[in-house]
Amino acid sequence: MLVALRFPLKFRHYIMQCVTTASYSLNLNGNVFGFFKGQRGLRQGDPLSPLLFTICMEYLTRLMAHTTRDNGFRYHSLCKPLKLTHLMFADDLLLFCKGDAKSIMIILRTFSTFSRASGLRMSQGKSNAYFNGVKSNIKAEILQISGFVEGQLPFKYLGVPIKTTGLNSQDCKPLIEKIVSKIRGLGARKLSYAGRLVLVKAVLKTYHTYWASMFILPKGVIAHYTRTPLISWDKICKPKTEGGLGLKDDAIWNQAAIGKLVWWIFANPDQLWVKWVNHIYIKQKTWIDYSPPPDSSWYWRKICQTKGMFETAYRQQAWKNQKGLDYTVAKGYDYLRHRGDKVQWFELVWHKWSTPKHSILAWLYHHNGLNLKEKLQRLGIIEEDTCCICGLASETKEHLFFRCQYSMKVIEAVGTRLNIRLPTQNLPQSCRSCSGSKNKIGILSAIINACMYNIWKQRNASRLELQILRPTSIASSIVDELRIRLMGFASSKEKDEDRRLIERIIRS
């Protein structure tokens, strides 16, 4: 195929080297054993595999185009205008034809030719024949010729049934289970939906619930706590500059991804899927003014509904750039999402100097998302709200972090160790009004975030374990964390004043 498609000789040599010289070792109990040559070329997981597979399957595509010119072959009624005979999804293959024995024979003969040339064979046990409007005697003849088993519609792809009606929560159960398992495995990393699948509300709701559940108190903090998310999903999904965590709202992202299909109909008339849509649905009508008939499939109605969300942008050519019109899912998401104002504390929380876990705690502080006793009492969860550490005042966020005698001693001890004067009243506001370079303000806020994080840890230890460390011990831990964090920036090209501050913290 590489020769037939006229790939350069040098390129073909590189590819064949990759295919023929692969070697493997085995890792058993942490030790590497053996070094043996592969006998089957590229294996699953090799990044070259899908690319070379596509090239090989080009032979099947051309073979199908050639053999279906036979006068005895009859296309499926909906595929005839496009001369569509097959679709491929990775290593899955769908074949279409009229429900008659001769057309089936031509397809099987073509596939046999392909198998002899490529070594790729269909898995008989995993293959099924699907019929619609075929007489029982003809159906029996086709099954006997092909050796297939009759499958039942709708068939499943990746565990989800492919059907024209809307999916329900039961249909999406395998997808939901996969989402849940991946979120548990990914931690706080982003999980994206693949492709442009029209997702139902049950899937999106499950996704949102599990992401939001990450921002809760651990089990056992309060016996009857209902595990309500600390921060609303809408806030979490805002950009960091607007007070969020920068996660994508997948309900909006899914709409933006479907918007890509809408855009293809506008801009890519030669694409196979667009040709199909124009032939089956739109026909001679204008896409911008098209409305779906009531009896069209659920998926198609959802796509047309998404088109309405972008109609103004399409008419105004909002995706225009120097090369013409270019819609991307990211642009569509930005167009659909609700914009907010930039928060003043953004630069104090999110910067390279602060440890991520410290930034998260500071982010919760600014959103009033921490379950302090004053908040829990207001919600009727507990009866008294005195500070867990000093027991002298109501446990508000200002008191716990900046006015409690213990917290003030911790901050004072950190300042002494670093030879930096840290204010003990409203540190975020003091940091914001501090004079100096952007880096200096960032380092100062990193110190404050580290103090807040460790004070919060001691607050929880006091509540759950009934013990608390001395302020000087906490200050030592804070300084150690800051030193480790800043050591990575010791050789960076910063201003003299900033570099001296970094070196002073590292040496402290």
Side-chain angles (χ1 to χ4, degrees):
M1 285 303 298
L2 292 173
V3 173
L5 294 173
R6 299 181 180 179
F7 280 89
L9 177 63
K10 194 172 185 178
F11 179 84
R12 299 201 307 265
H13 173 72
Y14 289 153
I15 293 297
M16 295 313 297
Q17 284 291 101
C18 293
V19 173
T20 59
T21 62
S23 299
Y24 303 91
S25 298
L26 297 179
N27 190 326
L28 299 175
N29 299 325
N31 297 312
V32 177
F33 296 94
F35 190 75
F36 55 93
K37 188 176 180 180
Q39 298 297 314
R40 298 290 298 276
L42 296 173
R43 307 300 292 169
Q44 183 176 356
D46 192 307
L48 271 179
S49 292
L51 305 176
L52 298 183
F53 179 77
T54 301
I55 292 175
C56 292
M57 295 306 286
E58 177 65 18
Y59 175 59
L60 175 63
T61 297
R62 298 189 180 200
L63 200 60
M64 290 289 291
H66 175 73
T67 56
T68 52
R69 294 194 189 102
D70 189 306
N71 292 331
F73 181 82
R74 300 170 68 187
Y75 290 96
H76 187 284
S77 59
L78 295 178
C79 300
K80 187 174 181 180
L82 301 178
K83 299 189 182 308
L84 180 63
T85 57
H86 65 287
L87 292 173
M88 286 176 283
F89 299 91
D91 57 350
D92 293 319
L93 178 65
L94 297 175
L95 297 165
F96 309 101
C97 71
K98 184 75 174 178
D100 63 72
K102 190 165 186 179
S103 297
I104 294 295
M105 287 293 294
I106 292 172
I107 282 184
L108 291 176
R109 189 167 62 243
T110 303
F111 205 83
S112 177
T113 302
F114 172 75
S115 295
R116 288 195 303 271
S118 66
L120 297 173
R121 293 175 176 82
M122 70 176 74
S123 176
Q124 199 78 20
K126 296 180 181 179
S127 302
N128 292 294
Y130 298 91
F131 301 91
N132 185 26
V134 179
K135 293 180 180 179
S136 57
N137 60 324
I138 299 176
K139 186 187 299 185
E141 183 182 4
I142 291 173
L143 292 175
Q144 185 179 8
I145 292 171
S146 64
F148 292 153
V149 176
E150 182 179 359
Q152 298 298 318
L153 293 171
F155 65 87
K156 291 185 177 181
Y157 185 69
L158 299 179
V160 178
I162 305 301
K163 57 184 185 179
T164 57
T165 57
L167 299 173
N168 54 43
S169 58
Q170 193 63 30
D171 293 331
C172 296
K173 190 175 180 180
L175 182 59
I176 292 173
E177 291 173 351
K178 187 175 293 187
I179 289 172
V180 171
S181 64
K182 282 204 170 187
I183 291 177
R184 288 171 177 166
L186 287 172
R189 284 181 288 165
K190 177 76 175 71
L191 172 68
S192 298
Y193 294 119
R196 279 160 282 276
L197 176 67
V198 180
L199 298 174
V200 296
K201 291 181 179 179
V203 177
L204 295 172
K205 183 178 180 181
T206 300
Y207 179 80
H208 295 171
T209 300
Y210 271 88
W211 266 116
S213 68
M214 291 185 176
F215 299 97
I216 57 173
L217 285 173
K219 287 183 178 180
V221 175
I222 302 172
H224 55 279
Y225 186 62
T226 58
R227 299 177 67 82
T228 302
L230 298 178
I231 305 295
S232 70
W233 181 251
D234 290 341
K235 288 183 180 178
I236 290 174
C237 292
K238 288 182 178 180
K240 290 182 178 179
T241 54
E242 296 176 13
L245 280 183
L247 295 179
K248 301 296 185 188
D249 186 325
D250 273 61
I252 300 176
W253 186 265
N254 186 231
Q255 292 171 344
I258 302 306
K260 186 73 170 182
L261 299 178
V262 177
W263 179 248
W264 279 349
I265 300 175
F266 274 108
N268 296 279
D270 295 330
Q271 194 175 75
L272 177 60
W273 179 78
V274 178
K275 288 181 178 179
W276 168 269
V277 164
N278 281 318
H279 169 64
I280 299 297
Y281 291 114
I282 302 175
K283 299 179 179 177
Q284 303 302 319
K285 299 177 183 177
T286 304
W287 174 225
I288 194 72
D289 299 316
Y290 172 84
S291 296
D295 61 344
S296 56
S297 73
W298 176 79
Y299 295 98
W300 179 243
R301 294 198 305 273
K302 287 292 183 182
I303 290 173
C304 293
Q305 182 181 334
T306 303
K307 181 195 69 167
M309 299 178 182
F310 291 100
E311 187 170 335
T312 301
Y314 291 139
R315 290 185 184 276
Q316 297 176 354
Q317 298 184 343
W319 324 121
K320 194 169 185 179
N321 59 18
Q322 294 178 350
K323 297 181 181 179
L325 297 174
D326 183 28
Y327 175 93
T328 64
V329 177
K331 288 180 182 178
Y333 179 87
D334 193 57
Y335 176 80
L336 290 177
R337 77 174 183 85
H338 176 72
R339 284 174 173 74
D341 298 326
K342 182 178 178 179
V343 294
Q344 295 181 347
W345 45 264
F346 158 71
E347 294 180 348
L348 302 181
V349 173
W350 305 112
H351 49 74
K352 65 180 181 179
W353 309 104
S354 185
T355 303
K357 63 182 179 181
H358 299 168
S359 295
I360 288 289
L361 192 281
W363 176 76
L364 288 170
Y365 167 88
H366 286 287
H367 273 298
N368 297 315
L370 295 169
N371 276 325
L372 295 155
K373 293 179 72 175
E374 178 269 335
K375 176 182 175 181
L376 297 177
Q377 185 196 48
R378 181 162 33 86
L379 295 174
I381 296 175
I382 60 176
E383 295 181 356
E384 57 86 24
D385 69 342
T386 53
C387 176
C388 291
I389 298 178
C390 69
L392 299 176
S394 176
E395 189 184 75
T396 62
K397 66 178 187 179
E398 290 81 8
H399 170 81
L400 175 65
F401 293 110
F402 308 122
R403 295 177 184 171
C404 177
Q405 292 297 317
Y406 179 86
S407 303
M408 293 172 68
K409 289 179 181 178
V410 169
I411 295 170
E412 185 178 351
V414 170
T416 301
R417 284 285 304 271
L418 300 178
N419 194 23
I420 298 174
R421 185 175 179 277
L422 295 174
T424 55
Q425 297 294 325
N426 199 345
L427 268 70
Q429 178 62 37
S430 301
C431 183
R432 195 180 302 122
S433 59
C434 174
S435 61
S437 68
K438 185 177 180 179
N439 286 334
K440 180 182 178 181
I441 295 174
I443 296 170
L444 240 150
S445 63
I447 297 171
I448 295 167
N449 294 342
C451 290
M452 292 171 62
Y453 178 85
N454 283 274
I455 290 170
W456 178 248
K457 280 181 62 178
Q458 290 306 302
R459 178 265 187 195
N460 292 335
S462 172
R463 181 174 176 79
L464 299 176
E465 303 170 12
L466 302 179
Q467 62 178 357
I468 192 166
L469 299 177
R470 292 179 299 174
T472 51
S473 297
I474 302 303
S476 296
S477 298
I478 293 171
V479 171
D480 288 341
E481 290 179 3
L482 291 168
R483 184 188 300 119
I484 293 171
R485 181 67 179 176
L486 295 181
M487 282 178 67
F489 303 102
S491 59
S492 59
K493 296 180 180 179
E494 309 293 349
K495 293 181 179 179
D496 292 342
E497 181 184 357
D498 299 332
R499 189 169 61 254
R500 285 195 295 269
L501 179 58
I502 293 172
E503 292 172 352
R504 187 198 313 167
I505 294 174
I506 292 174
R507 291 195 305 268
S508 61

